[in-house]
Amino acid sequence: MNREGFRFQAHRGDSAFYPENTLVSYNAAIEEGYDVIELDNKFTSDNVCICLHDGTYNRTCRYDDGTPLADKTPADALTLEEVKKLDAGLFKGEQFRGTRIPTLEEALDFIKRGSDLAVKFDNVFQSFNQTRFEEFCRVVRESRLGKRAGLTCKTFPYLLMLSEAFPEAEMHYDGSLTPDVLKWIGDNIKDRATIWIPFDNKATSWCRERKADREFCRELHSFGKVGLWLLAEPEELRISVEEFGADIIETNGTLKPDALSDQWRYR
């Protein structure tokens, strides 16, 4: 559901309270009224695209008996069959036992069948080799999300390539904001472009990029929409919307769309 003024994006689904990047967290985001689900992708050793943020399974996965993976296990060290034997829910609690890592195709089919939400793909696809990048693009294309698909690019070459390859998709950019890049965005894809910058808080303290302020956001609005990440507090939302004019905000689930006052939901 699109709100007048701005949209809520769920970071890895509702990842604050549910196992991230699983159908459980995506379903929670759907039920809680978010507008966009942001998800992350990796590949198995047999080149199947799955939903996973980390480069390894160790933080978020356990064996079915609850024991952790003993050795560091990269995403592409296991086949899909082996991945499906891992429990991706126990790290969040016993109530999520039996949760599995979905393939990208499974995730997109689930989201499409259950909602009209948009889906935003993290820029990790830029690290894929050519075979895997083409497979990722195939899955996205065959999902027929159209305007509901959002591709996040960290560099201008990918932004240029994917804006042409997916002419309907939303284009999200979180790379270097040089004058030339901003001008190209404003001249060519302004109506479907979102420029992402960090909100200055604890969650983004590691980021060395320029943080959002009123002047910076006003400048960026000349070239496209503005997205702010990663918000956790109602006051951060109020500032983002009322003072910075954010078009989309990302939260890990600590901010619930239906729990906010009307004055913070609309501008």
mmCIF file of all heavy atoms in Angstrom, residues 11-42:
data_model
loop_
_atom_site.group_PDB
_atom_site.id
_atom_site.type_symbol
_atom_site.label_atom_id
_atom_site.label_comp_id
_atom_site.label_asym_id
_atom_site.label_seq_id
_atom_site.Cartn_x
_atom_site.Cartn_y
_atom_site.Cartn_z
ATOM 1 N N HIS A 11 13.636 -3.930 6.156
ATOM 2 C CA HIS A 11 15.022 -4.365 5.960
ATOM 3 C C HIS A 11 15.142 -5.863 6.219
ATOM 4 O O HIS A 11 15.041 -6.321 7.355
ATOM 5 C CB HIS A 11 15.899 -3.580 6.941
ATOM 6 C CG HIS A 11 17.349 -3.869 6.889
ATOM 7 N ND1 HIS A 11 18.127 -3.618 5.791
ATOM 8 C CD2 HIS A 11 18.187 -4.366 7.832
ATOM 9 C CE1 HIS A 11 19.380 -3.945 6.053
ATOM 10 N NE2 HIS A 11 19.445 -4.420 7.289
ATOM 11 N N ARG A 12 15.329 -6.649 5.142
ATOM 12 C CA ARG A 12 15.379 -8.117 5.214
ATOM 13 C C ARG A 12 14.053 -8.680 5.719
ATOM 14 O O ARG A 12 14.003 -9.717 6.385
ATOM 15 C CB ARG A 12 16.530 -8.595 6.097
ATOM 16 C CG ARG A 12 17.874 -7.984 5.726
ATOM 17 C CD ARG A 12 18.973 -8.388 6.694
ATOM 18 N NE ARG A 12 20.134 -7.509 6.545
ATOM 19 C CZ ARG A 12 21.194 -7.522 7.331
ATOM 20 N NH1 ARG A 12 21.280 -8.401 8.315
ATOM 21 N NH2 ARG A 12 22.198 -6.685 7.129
ATOM 22 N N GLY A 13 12.942 -8.004 5.380
ATOM 23 C CA GLY A 13 11.654 -8.303 5.988
ATOM 24 C C GLY A 13 11.607 -7.652 7.353
ATOM 25 O O GLY A 13 12.353 -6.714 7.639
ATOM 26 N N ASP A 14 10.705 -8.122 8.208
ATOM 27 C CA ASP A 14 10.708 -7.645 9.591
ATOM 28 C C ASP A 14 11.801 -8.416 10.317
ATOM 29 O O ASP A 14 11.558 -9.431 10.975
ATOM 30 C CB ASP A 14 9.346 -7.888 10.251
ATOM 31 C CG ASP A 14 9.308 -7.367 11.676
ATOM 32 O OD1 ASP A 14 10.378 -7.099 12.249
ATOM 33 O OD2 ASP A 14 8.205 -7.244 12.233
ATOM 34 N N SER A 15 13.025 -7.933 10.182
ATOM 35 C CA SER A 15 14.181 -8.670 10.688
ATOM 36 C C SER A 15 14.472 -8.410 12.156
ATOM 37 O O SER A 15 15.323 -9.079 12.747
ATOM 38 C CB SER A 15 15.420 -8.343 9.848
ATOM 39 O OG SER A 15 15.665 -6.944 9.829
ATOM 40 N N ALA A 16 13.787 -7.454 12.768
ATOM 41 C CA ALA A 16 13.995 -7.201 14.186
ATOM 42 C C ALA A 16 13.368 -8.289 15.036
ATOM 43 O O ALA A 16 13.891 -8.642 16.097
ATOM 44 C CB ALA A 16 13.423 -5.842 14.573
ATOM 45 N N PHE A 17 12.269 -8.851 14.565
ATOM 46 C CA PHE A 17 11.507 -9.790 15.384
ATOM 47 C C PHE A 17 11.333 -11.170 14.746
ATOM 48 O O PHE A 17 10.826 -12.081 15.402
ATOM 49 C CB PHE A 17 10.136 -9.193 15.692
ATOM 50 C CG PHE A 17 10.215 -7.871 16.394
ATOM 51 C CD1 PHE A 17 10.041 -6.683 15.697
ATOM 52 C CD2 PHE A 17 10.485 -7.799 17.752
ATOM 53 C CE1 PHE A 17 10.127 -5.454 16.345
ATOM 54 C CE2 PHE A 17 10.577 -6.580 18.403
ATOM 55 C CZ PHE A 17 10.395 -5.399 17.694
ATOM 56 N N TYR A 18 11.749 -11.312 13.507
ATOM 57 C CA TYR A 18 11.590 -12.577 12.800
ATOM 58 C C TYR A 18 12.909 -12.952 12.106
ATOM 59 O O TYR A 18 13.755 -12.082 11.883
ATOM 60 C CB TYR A 18 10.465 -12.461 11.764
ATOM 61 C CG TYR A 18 9.123 -12.157 12.367
ATOM 62 C CD1 TYR A 18 8.734 -10.836 12.627
ATOM 63 C CD2 TYR A 18 8.246 -13.182 12.715
ATOM 64 C CE1 TYR A 18 7.506 -10.549 13.200
ATOM 65 C CE2 TYR A 18 7.006 -12.900 13.281
ATOM 66 C CZ TYR A 18 6.648 -11.587 13.528
ATOM 67 O OH TYR A 18 5.429 -11.306 14.107
ATOM 68 N N PRO A 19 13.100 -14.209 11.752
ATOM 69 C CA PRO A 19 14.342 -14.614 11.074
ATOM 70 C C PRO A 19 14.493 -13.910 9.730
ATOM 71 O O PRO A 19 13.671 -14.081 8.834
ATOM 72 C CB PRO A 19 14.174 -16.130 10.888
ATOM 73 C CG PRO A 19 13.143 -16.537 11.881
ATOM 74 C CD PRO A 19 12.213 -15.369 11.992
ATOM 75 N N GLU A 20 15.547 -13.116 9.606
ATOM 76 C CA GLU A 20 15.734 -12.272 8.427
ATOM 77 C C GLU A 20 15.819 -13.071 7.131
ATOM 78 O O GLU A 20 16.288 -14.203 7.100
ATOM 79 C CB GLU A 20 17.005 -11.450 8.586
ATOM 80 C CG GLU A 20 18.269 -12.291 8.651
ATOM 81 C CD GLU A 20 19.524 -11.449 8.866
ATOM 82 O OE1 GLU A 20 19.598 -10.735 9.888
ATOM 83 O OE2 GLU A 20 20.411 -11.516 8.002
ATOM 84 N N ASN A 21 15.345 -12.430 6.059
ATOM 85 C CA ASN A 21 15.437 -13.007 4.715
ATOM 86 C C ASN A 21 14.829 -14.405 4.628
ATOM 87 O O ASN A 21 15.354 -15.291 3.951
ATOM 88 C CB ASN A 21 16.894 -13.024 4.227
ATOM 89 C CG ASN A 21 17.334 -11.682 3.690
ATOM 90 O OD1 ASN A 21 16.608 -11.030 2.938
ATOM 91 N ND2 ASN A 21 18.528 -11.256 4.067
ATOM 92 N N THR A 22 13.710 -14.606 5.334
ATOM 93 C CA THR A 22 12.942 -15.840 5.221
ATOM 94 C C THR A 22 11.499 -15.480 4.900
ATOM 95 O O THR A 22 11.082 -14.322 5.047
ATOM 96 C CB THR A 22 12.973 -16.665 6.527
ATOM 97 O OG1 THR A 22 12.255 -15.942 7.551
ATOM 98 C CG2 THR A 22 14.397 -16.925 6.975
ATOM 99 N N LEU A 23 10.731 -16.476 4.495
ATOM 100 C CA LEU A 23 9.319 -16.217 4.204
ATOM 101 C C LEU A 23 8.587 -15.745 5.450
ATOM 102 O O LEU A 23 7.601 -15.007 5.353
ATOM 103 C CB LEU A 23 8.662 -17.472 3.637
ATOM 104 C CG LEU A 23 9.263 -18.054 2.354
ATOM 105 C CD1 LEU A 23 8.381 -19.187 1.818
ATOM 106 C CD2 LEU A 23 9.473 -16.987 1.281
ATOM 107 N N VAL A 24 9.082 -16.129 6.622
ATOM 108 C CA VAL A 24 8.465 -15.694 7.874
ATOM 109 C C VAL A 24 8.600 -14.186 8.046
ATOM 110 O O VAL A 24 7.635 -13.494 8.386
ATOM 111 C CB VAL A 24 9.102 -16.435 9.069
ATOM 112 C CG1 VAL A 24 8.537 -15.918 10.388
ATOM 113 C CG2 VAL A 24 8.866 -17.934 8.958
ATOM 114 N N SER A 25 9.797 -13.658 7.812
ATOM 115 C CA SER A 25 10.002 -12.212 7.978
ATOM 116 C C SER A 25 9.323 -11.432 6.858
ATOM 117 O O SER A 25 8.824 -10.316 7.088
ATOM 118 C CB SER A 25 11.493 -11.880 8.024
ATOM 119 O OG SER A 25 12.128 -12.152 6.800
ATOM 120 N N TYR A 26 9.280 -12.007 5.663
ATOM 121 C CA TYR A 26 8.589 -11.328 4.558
ATOM 122 C C TYR A 26 7.083 -11.287 4.829
ATOM 123 O O TYR A 26 6.421 -10.270 4.584
ATOM 124 C CB TYR A 26 8.864 -12.035 3.229
ATOM 125 C CG TYR A 26 10.320 -12.119 2.839
ATOM 126 C CD1 TYR A 26 10.783 -13.136 2.014
ATOM 127 C CD2 TYR A 26 11.254 -11.188 3.305
ATOM 128 C CE1 TYR A 26 12.121 -13.220 1.654
ATOM 129 C CE2 TYR A 26 12.595 -11.266 2.954
ATOM 130 C CZ TYR A 26 13.026 -12.293 2.130
ATOM 131 O OH TYR A 26 14.348 -12.382 1.774
ATOM 132 N N ASN A 27 6.532 -12.392 5.324
ATOM 133 C CA ASN A 27 5.104 -12.432 5.624
ATOM 134 C C ASN A 27 4.749 -11.441 6.719
ATOM 135 O O ASN A 27 3.704 -10.776 6.656
ATOM 136 C CB ASN A 27 4.697 -13.837 6.047
ATOM 137 C CG ASN A 27 3.206 -13.972 6.254
ATOM 138 O OD1 ASN A 27 2.422 -13.835 5.328
ATOM 139 N ND2 ASN A 27 2.800 -14.228 7.480
ATOM 140 N N ALA A 28 5.613 -11.310 7.726
ATOM 141 C CA ALA A 28 5.367 -10.338 8.794
ATOM 142 C C ALA A 28 5.316 -8.925 8.222
ATOM 143 O O ALA A 28 4.461 -8.122 8.600
ATOM 144 C CB ALA A 28 6.445 -10.443 9.865
ATOM 145 N N ALA A 29 6.236 -8.623 7.301
ATOM 146 C CA ALA A 29 6.251 -7.296 6.679
ATOM 147 C C ALA A 29 4.972 -7.041 5.892
ATOM 148 O O ALA A 29 4.434 -5.925 5.892
ATOM 149 C CB ALA A 29 7.471 -7.159 5.770
ATOM 150 N N ILE A 30 4.485 -8.066 5.216
ATOM 151 C CA ILE A 30 3.229 -7.937 4.473
ATOM 152 C C ILE A 30 2.083 -7.645 5.429
ATOM 153 O O ILE A 30 1.297 -6.706 5.224
ATOM 154 C CB ILE A 30 2.946 -9.224 3.670
ATOM 155 C CG1 ILE A 30 3.971 -9.393 2.542
ATOM 156 C CG2 ILE A 30 1.527 -9.202 3.093
ATOM 157 C CD1 ILE A 30 3.915 -10.747 1.858
ATOM 158 N N GLU A 31 1.978 -8.439 6.480
ATOM 159 C CA GLU A 31 0.865 -8.296 7.424
ATOM 160 C C GLU A 31 0.930 -6.989 8.196
ATOM 161 O O GLU A 31 -0.106 -6.453 8.597
ATOM 162 C CB GLU A 31 0.848 -9.482 8.383
ATOM 163 C CG GLU A 31 0.503 -10.808 7.698
ATOM 164 C CD GLU A 31 0.349 -11.943 8.686
ATOM 165 O OE1 GLU A 31 0.834 -11.797 9.840
ATOM 166 O OE2 GLU A 31 -0.243 -12.974 8.309
ATOM 167 N N GLU A 32 2.122 -6.462 8.416
ATOM 168 C CA GLU A 32 2.276 -5.243 9.212
ATOM 169 C C GLU A 32 2.127 -3.971 8.393
ATOM 170 O O GLU A 32 2.171 -2.877 8.951
ATOM 171 C CB GLU A 32 3.633 -5.265 9.911
ATOM 172 C CG GLU A 32 3.703 -6.342 10.991
ATOM 173 C CD GLU A 32 5.110 -6.658 11.455
ATOM 174 O OE1 GLU A 32 6.068 -6.094 10.880
ATOM 175 O OE2 GLU A 32 5.256 -7.472 12.374
ATOM 176 N N GLY A 33 1.938 -4.100 7.080
ATOM 177 C CA GLY A 33 1.626 -2.931 6.274
ATOM 178 C C GLY A 33 2.789 -2.198 5.660
ATOM 179 O O GLY A 33 2.649 -1.034 5.259
ATOM 180 N N TYR A 34 3.947 -2.844 5.543
ATOM 181 C CA TYR A 34 5.065 -2.193 4.863
ATOM 182 C C TYR A 34 4.774 -2.092 3.364
ATOM 183 O O TYR A 34 3.923 -2.811 2.829
ATOM 184 C CB TYR A 34 6.363 -2.976 5.109
ATOM 185 C CG TYR A 34 6.866 -2.811 6.518
ATOM 186 C CD1 TYR A 34 6.460 -3.688 7.527
ATOM 187 C CD2 TYR A 34 7.719 -1.767 6.863
ATOM 188 C CE1 TYR A 34 6.904 -3.527 8.830
ATOM 189 C CE2 TYR A 34 8.169 -1.609 8.164
ATOM 190 C CZ TYR A 34 7.751 -2.489 9.136
ATOM 191 O OH TYR A 34 8.182 -2.318 10.427
ATOM 192 N N ASP A 35 5.488 -1.206 2.716
ATOM 193 C CA ASP A 35 5.284 -0.962 1.296
ATOM 194 C C ASP A 35 6.310 -1.669 0.423
ATOM 195 O O ASP A 35 6.047 -1.980 -0.731
ATOM 196 C CB ASP A 35 5.370 0.542 0.998
ATOM 197 C CG ASP A 35 4.428 1.350 1.859
ATOM 198 O OD1 ASP A 35 3.217 1.154 1.734
ATOM 199 O OD2 ASP A 35 4.913 2.163 2.671
ATOM 200 N N VAL A 36 7.503 -1.869 0.975
ATOM 201 C CA VAL A 36 8.610 -2.445 0.223
ATOM 202 C C VAL A 36 9.317 -3.473 1.099
ATOM 203 O O VAL A 36 9.503 -3.242 2.300
ATOM 204 C CB VAL A 36 9.640 -1.369 -0.201
ATOM 205 C CG1 VAL A 36 10.728 -1.977 -1.080
ATOM 206 C CG2 VAL A 36 8.957 -0.210 -0.917
ATOM 207 N N ILE A 37 9.707 -4.593 0.514
ATOM 208 C CA ILE A 37 10.555 -5.562 1.193
ATOM 209 C C ILE A 37 11.925 -5.518 0.547
ATOM 210 O O ILE A 37 12.060 -5.689 -0.664
ATOM 211 C CB ILE A 37 9.978 -6.988 1.107
ATOM 212 C CG1 ILE A 37 8.705 -7.092 1.942
ATOM 213 C CG2 ILE A 37 11.016 -8.013 1.569
ATOM 214 C CD1 ILE A 37 8.012 -8.438 1.827
ATOM 215 N N GLU A 38 12.946 -5.266 1.356
ATOM 216 C CA GLU A 38 14.324 -5.298 0.870
ATOM 217 C C GLU A 38 14.905 -6.657 1.203
ATOM 218 O O GLU A 38 14.778 -7.138 2.335
ATOM 219 C CB GLU A 38 15.144 -4.196 1.537
ATOM 220 C CG GLU A 38 16.582 -4.103 1.051
ATOM 221 C CD GLU A 38 17.574 -4.771 1.980
ATOM 222 O OE1 GLU A 38 17.165 -5.295 3.039
ATOM 223 O OE2 GLU A 38 18.772 -4.771 1.648
ATOM 224 N N LEU A 39 15.507 -7.306 0.199
ATOM 225 C CA LEU A 39 16.094 -8.616 0.459
ATOM 226 C C LEU A 39 17.489 -8.723 -0.142
ATOM 227 O O LEU A 39 17.883 -7.927 -0.993
ATOM 228 C CB LEU A 39 15.189 -9.739 -0.045
ATOM 229 C CG LEU A 39 14.634 -9.698 -1.466
ATOM 230 C CD1 LEU A 39 15.690 -10.178 -2.458
ATOM 231 C CD2 LEU A 39 13.397 -10.578 -1.575
ATOM 232 N N ASP A 40 18.227 -9.725 0.346
ATOM 233 C CA ASP A 40 19.617 -9.938 -0.043
ATOM 234 C C ASP A 40 19.758 -11.299 -0.701
ATOM 235 O O ASP A 40 19.023 -12.238 -0.364
ATOM 236 C CB ASP A 40 20.529 -9.891 1.185
ATOM 237 C CG ASP A 40 20.312 -8.644 2.013
ATOM 238 O OD1 ASP A 40 20.911 -7.607 1.683
ATOM 239 O OD2 ASP A 40 19.543 -8.712 2.992
ATOM 240 N N ASN A 41 20.719 -11.421 -1.581
ATOM 241 C CA ASN A 41 20.878 -12.672 -2.318
ATOM 242 C C ASN A 41 22.308 -13.173 -2.344
ATOM 243 O O ASN A 41 23.254 -12.390 -2.377
ATOM 244 C CB ASN A 41 20.376 -12.510 -3.752
ATOM 245 C CG ASN A 41 18.916 -12.120 -3.815
ATOM 246 O OD1 ASN A 41 18.575 -11.046 -4.288
ATOM 247 N ND2 ASN A 41 18.056 -12.980 -3.302
ATOM 248 N N LYS A 42 22.442 -14.477 -2.301
ATOM 249 C CA LYS A 42 23.710 -15.168 -2.497
ATOM 250 C C LYS A 42 23.442 -16.359 -3.411
ATOM 251 O O LYS A 42 22.301 -16.632 -3.775
ATOM 252 C CB LYS A 42 24.288 -15.645 -1.155
ATOM 253 C CG LYS A 42 24.682 -14.530 -0.200
ATOM 254 C CD LYS A 42 25.854 -13.728 -0.705
ATOM 255 C CE LYS A 42 26.362 -12.727 0.327
ATOM 256 N NZ LYS A 42 25.392 -11.669 0.635
#
